[in-house]
């Protein structure tokens, strides 16, 4: 039996800036965001996504005890002792959500959804996509791009890059736009006009310098001025960033006595099919972390 | 035999045996590389999930061999410990290597040996001035390994290793957020360390073209061929996923290179490509004392050998979590001889079948072999002129 059909790709589309933090940073940013170790690209750990999805479906410990479906999907800990042998593993497994497109300021077209060959290579599984090869200092754009005007220079942040238009970029744009903006042809067109594929090195540079960093202060209630020592810098993944991961349904572990019909299809159908509006990461009360979570069949 | 490549979809946690859990420790540490039993367990569990009537005994007959890194269409093996790297030229990548070979009898370092027939091993042509050996890459390409193993000479050598560093370790701090309060739950703070399988660019190298490191595995399903050509498996701690894809043309990675002819030699080197488990600690159980020597027949062959010396790394812990029915729980701790350890043998008899021994297990227990432990690579040595005892 092929277990691939119990697997879906999930997309995270940031609606407000997203701050999945790593605690206090040692650099000039006090509260940096989570990044992959080698590439230094922003990511959302799978555990963060899973916790939030579980929370969205009201999977409290009490609910998990009562509701077999929720328990099968997200597992339950045996609170009475610390022995893991008596716990039940959840069947839904979320991988990390890895960056696919980073919105970057562009001289033409307002902003570009920037991606790189390695991002696409990771996404390529099952899609049969042809990823264009890149040389340093160049970019590949779609046929209908709005990121250049009367020439062949692309201006992203303070970089200017040689660029060419290639059908392979159109195919990539089609795939991503079709998944993320499935119900909106207008947004699909907007995406196609703004996709730029740059070399991995440049993409790393943009991931390091193109995120949103905002300064914060706290006002002392008594004086109405800034509290002493209360200035900090917070990093966030900007609005319109696109990330993707995989959700897979493992064997369904259920209570021996439960006679409910729990299947992998049922779990995926229940928890991983309809688009979800979630809040992920920190600083929720300041509006951060509102995302659309979309599931795509592979 | 079927060959698979595993691509981790998130950083993998290859836990060491230190405890973790409520009241035991809040830190999950990761070893530098995945132990063979983790892969074997993952593959067998995947088979069981397809057909859960199979018993643990039936599942344990499935042979899972590996795991070795594969990057840019090359397979890599752990660095052999009989190479002492003096210096690596940054620009060219050429390494200045001293060969570690058994010393002459009586030339010892003044330390008692575990057995009186054994001699210590030491670098040949050791320079007068002190130097700190370079750690170099953790893995060597098959090509470099074949070159290293095929050479009988004991002189200093300048060669390109074309190595691969071990995956980079990534730390994560996790908290539990209470749905009732939206705040972190008290005492629920822990960190995990995982292995990031994106190939790390060398210092000063452009990240212009990133690539993915994969894990190469060879599986002999025997009677239980069930798995599809592509499937997902949870691997290691925290149920991180790896995509497993069958690859038909990997046979070449698992065969002794044609250029390597180990039939002719009288001196035989055994290099452990995966960690080994022996009943007598570092000493293979198939070696027995006979007329004051440690002699035996290499498992699966008619080659009779005498152990002359060994270069063995510090032991590594092996534990794990058993999902076997009735035995569910932590496994007992065992000590592994680390991969890369080298044993020097003198061939007493036979030798023609040596090419069939490539990447076969030399462990004492057949089950440890089916779990992928003790896969050996074979090469030659002749040693110092004065050290020759044959």
């Amino acid at each position: 039996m092929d277990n691939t059909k119990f697997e879906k790709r999930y997309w995270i589309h940031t609606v407000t800036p997203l701050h999945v933090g790593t605690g206090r940073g040692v650099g000039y940013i006090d509260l940096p965001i989570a990044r992959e170790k080698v590439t230094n690209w922003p990511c959302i750990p799978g555990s963060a996504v899973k916790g939030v999805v579980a929370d969205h479906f009201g999977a409290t410990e009490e609910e998990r005890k009562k509701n077999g479906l929720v328990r099968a999907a997200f597992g339950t800990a045996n609170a009475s002792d610390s022995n893991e042998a008596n716990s039940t593993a959840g069947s839904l497994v979320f991988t990390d959500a890895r960056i696919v497109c980073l919105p970057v300021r562009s001289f033409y077209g307002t902003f570009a959804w920037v991606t790189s060959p390695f991002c696409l290579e990771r996404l390529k599984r099952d899609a049969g996509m042809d990823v264009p090869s890149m040389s340093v200092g160049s970019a590949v754009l779609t046929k209908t791009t709005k990121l250049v005007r009367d020439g062949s220079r692309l201006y992203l942040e303070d970089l200017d890059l040689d660029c060419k238009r290639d059908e392979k970029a159109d195919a990539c744009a089609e795939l991503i736009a079709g998944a993320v903006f499935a119900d909106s042809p207008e947004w699909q067109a907007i995406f196609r006009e703004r996709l730029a594929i740059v070399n991995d090195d440049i993409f790393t540079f943009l991931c390091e310098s193109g995120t949103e960093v905002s300064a914060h202060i706290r006002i002392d209630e008594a004086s109405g001025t800034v509290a002493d020592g209360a200035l900090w810098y917070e990093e966030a993944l900007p609005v319109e960033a696109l990330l993707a991961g995989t959700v897979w349904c493992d064997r369904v572990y259920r209570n021996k006595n439960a006679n409910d019909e729990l299947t992998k299809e049922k779990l995926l159908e229940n928890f991983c099919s309809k688009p979800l509006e979630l809040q992920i990461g920190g600083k929720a009360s300041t509006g951060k972390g509102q995302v659309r979570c979309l599931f795509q069949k592979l | 035999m079927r060959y698979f490549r595993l691509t981790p979809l998130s950083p993998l946690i290859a836990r060491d045996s230190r405890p973790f859990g409520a009241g035991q420790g809040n830190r999950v540490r990761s070893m530098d590389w995945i132990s063979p039993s983790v892969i074997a367990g993952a593959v067998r569990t995947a088979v069981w999930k397809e057909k859960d009537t199979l018993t643990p005994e039936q599942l344990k007959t499935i042979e899972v061999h590996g795991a070795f890194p594969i990057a840019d269409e090359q397979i890599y093996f752990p660095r052999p410990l009989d190479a002492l790297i003096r210096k690596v030229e940054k620009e060219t990548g050429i390494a200045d290597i001293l060969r570690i070979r058994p010393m002459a009898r009586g030339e010892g370092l003044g330390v008692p040996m575990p057995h009186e027939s054994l001699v210590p091993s030491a670098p040949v042509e050791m320079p007068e001035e002190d130097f700190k050996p370079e750690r170099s890459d953790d893995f060597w390409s098959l090509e470099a390994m074949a070159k290293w193993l095929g050479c009988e000479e004991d002189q200093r050598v300048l060669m390109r290793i074309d190595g691969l560093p071990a995956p980079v370790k990534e730390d994560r701090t996790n908290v539990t957020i209470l749905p009732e309060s939206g705040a972190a739950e008290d005492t629920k703070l822990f960190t995990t360390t995982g292995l990031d399988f994106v190939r790390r660019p060398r210092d000063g190298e452009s990240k212009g073209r990133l690539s993915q490191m994969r894990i190469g595995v060879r599986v002999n399903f025997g009677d239980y061929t069930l798995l599809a050509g592509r499937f997902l498996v949870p691997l290691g701690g925290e149920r991180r996923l790896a995509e497993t894809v069958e690859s038909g043309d990997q046979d070449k990675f698992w065969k002794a290179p044609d250029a390597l002819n180990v039939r002719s030699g009288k001196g035989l080197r055994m290099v452990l490509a995966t960690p080994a488990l022996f009943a007598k600690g570092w000493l293979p159980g198939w070696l027995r004392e006979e007329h004051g020597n440690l002699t035996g027949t290499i498992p699966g062959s008619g080659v009779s050998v005498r152990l002359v010396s060994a270069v063995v790394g510090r032991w590594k812990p092996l534990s794990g979590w058993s999902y076997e029915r009735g035995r569910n729980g932590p496994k007992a701790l065992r000590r592994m001889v680390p991969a890369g350890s080298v044993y020097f043998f003198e061939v007493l008899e036979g030798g023609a079948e040596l090419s069939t021994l490539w990447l076969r297990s030399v462990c004492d227990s057949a089950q440890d072999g089916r779990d992928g432990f003790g896969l050996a690579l074979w090469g030659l040595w002749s040693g110092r002129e004065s050290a020759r005892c044959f």
Side-chain angles (χ1 to χ4, degrees), chain A residues 274-294:
Chain A
K274 293 186 195 76
L276 306 176
E277 285 180 10
L278 304 173
Q279 191 283 318
I280 298 181
K283 311 292 163 196
S285 59
T286 55
K288 295 266 170 75
Q290 299 293 330
V291 301
R292 290 164 66 219
C293 178
L294 308 142

Side-chain angles (χ1 to χ4, degrees), chain A:
Chain A
M1 189 168 40
D2 187 357
N3 73 354
T4 49
K5 61 179 174 174
F6 304 118
E7 173 193 350
K8 282 183 171 183
R9 179 175 290 137
Y10 73 90
W11 289 87
I12 300 284
H13 174 207
T14 58
V15 177
T16 65
L18 175 70
H19 176 83
V20 178
T22 56
R24 190 161 286 271
V26 288
Y28 70 92
I29 297 173
D30 299 285
L31 299 174
I33 56 171
R35 290 170 179 273
E36 290 177 55
K37 184 78 176 182
V38 175
T39 57
N40 213 21
W41 297 350
C43 70
I44 308 175
S47 58
V49 180
K50 187 190 165 186
V52 166
V53 172
D55 203 15
H56 178 84
F57 289 101
T60 57
E61 278 305 323
E62 208 172 306
E63 183 64 19
R64 291 178 202 213
K65 283 194 181 75
K66 281 192 298 198
N67 186 337
L69 197 63
V70 172
R71 182 176 56 240
F74 302 109
T76 176
N78 189 335
S80 61
D81 63 31
S82 57
N83 187 355
E84 279 182 40
N86 296 325
S87 307
T88 314
S91 296
L92 295 182
V93 181
F94 287 81
T95 69
D96 294 351
R98 301 189 286 206
I99 189 89
V100 177
C101 287
L102 182 80
V104 172
R105 147 173 102 90
S106 166
F107 191 75
Y108 296 114
T110 319
F111 78 96
W113 267 290
V114 180
T115 187
S116 83
F118 191 61
C119 286
L120 296 170
E121 198 68 47
R122 286 167 157 186
L123 195 67
K124 188 169 98 166
R125 300 183 309 115
D126 320 308
M129 203 162 62
D130 199 1
V131 177
S133 63
M134 314 285 305
S135 62
V136 179
S138 70
V140 175
L141 307 172
T142 59
K143 299 272 181 210
T144 54
T145 191
K146 285 202 169 166
L147 300 174
V148 287
R149 187 176 296 168
D150 314 329
S152 59
R153 305 297 285 175
L154 170 72
Y155 302 96
L156 297 176
E157 292 279 347
D158 45 8
L159 300 173
D160 69 299
L161 307 167
D162 276 333
C163 60
K164 58 175 185 187
R165 298 171 199 210
D166 192 319
E167 278 172 3
K168 288 177 184 170
D170 285 87
C172 296
E174 209 63 51
L175 177 104
I176 300 168
V180 181
F181 305 109
D183 49 0
S184 169
E186 298 82 15
W187 273 99
Q188 287 185 26
I190 291 171
F191 183 84
R192 273 197 295 272
E193 289 162 0
R194 281 170 182 77
L195 180 74
I197 307 171
V198 300
N199 146 294
D200 293 326
D201 242 356
I202 293 169
F203 188 67
T204 304
F205 170 78
L206 292 170
C207 282
E208 286 166 357
S209 60
T211 55
E212 192 172 299
V213 178
S214 51
H216 291 257
I217 51 167
R218 194 176 71 243
I219 302 291
D220 191 321
E221 262 182 51
S223 65
T225 58
V226 182
D228 199 25
L231 164 69
W232 72 95
Y233 289 90
E234 249 175 53
E235 190 182 20
L237 201 52
V239 175
E240 298 297 343
L242 301 176
L243 303 100
T246 299
V247 56
W248 173 69
C249 192
D250 198 350
R251 182 185 169 86
V252 179
Y253 297 95
R254 55 177 159 249
N255 203 328
K256 277 177 208 150
N257 307 323
N259 52 7
D260 35 18
E261 289 287 311
L262 295 176
T263 57
K264 294 180 181 187
E265 289 89 347
K266 203 167 168 186
L267 289 188
L268 284 174
E269 177 59 35
N270 255 279
F271 301 106
C272 304
S273 55
K274 293 186 195 76
L276 306 176
E277 285 180 10
L278 304 173
Q279 191 283 318
I280 298 181
K283 311 292 163 196
S285 59
T286 55
K288 295 266 170 75
Q290 299 293 330
V291 301
R292 290 164 66 219
C293 178
L294 308 142
F295 296 96
Q296 182 191 12
K297 273 192 181 154
L298 291 174

Side-chain angles (χ1 to χ4, degrees), chain B residues 139-183:
Chain B
F139 296 99
W140 286 22
S141 67
L142 173 62
E143 201 180 326
M145 199 59 125
K147 204 169 157 192
W148 179 254
L149 291 172
C151 183
E152 262 182 299
E153 284 172 33
D154 65 345
Q155 305 302 304
R156 186 184 136 200
V157 63
L158 292 173
M159 66 180 264
R160 264 181 75 91
I161 294 172
D162 194 13
L164 182 75
V168 178
K169 287 184 181 167
E170 180 208 56
D171 294 320
R172 280 185 189 180
T173 305
N174 300 265
V175 288
T176 302
I177 302 288
L178 279 174
E180 297 83 21
S181 64

Side-chain angles (χ1 to χ4, degrees), chain B residues 86-105:
Chain B
R86 225 178 129 191
K87 204 172 169 42
V88 181
E89 202 69 53
K90 278 246 156 65
E91 292 77 40
T92 55
I94 290 176
D96 177 0
I97 311 177
L98 301 179
R99 296 178 204 263
I100 297 177
R101 292 289 176 267
M103 299 176 85
R105 210 178 269 275

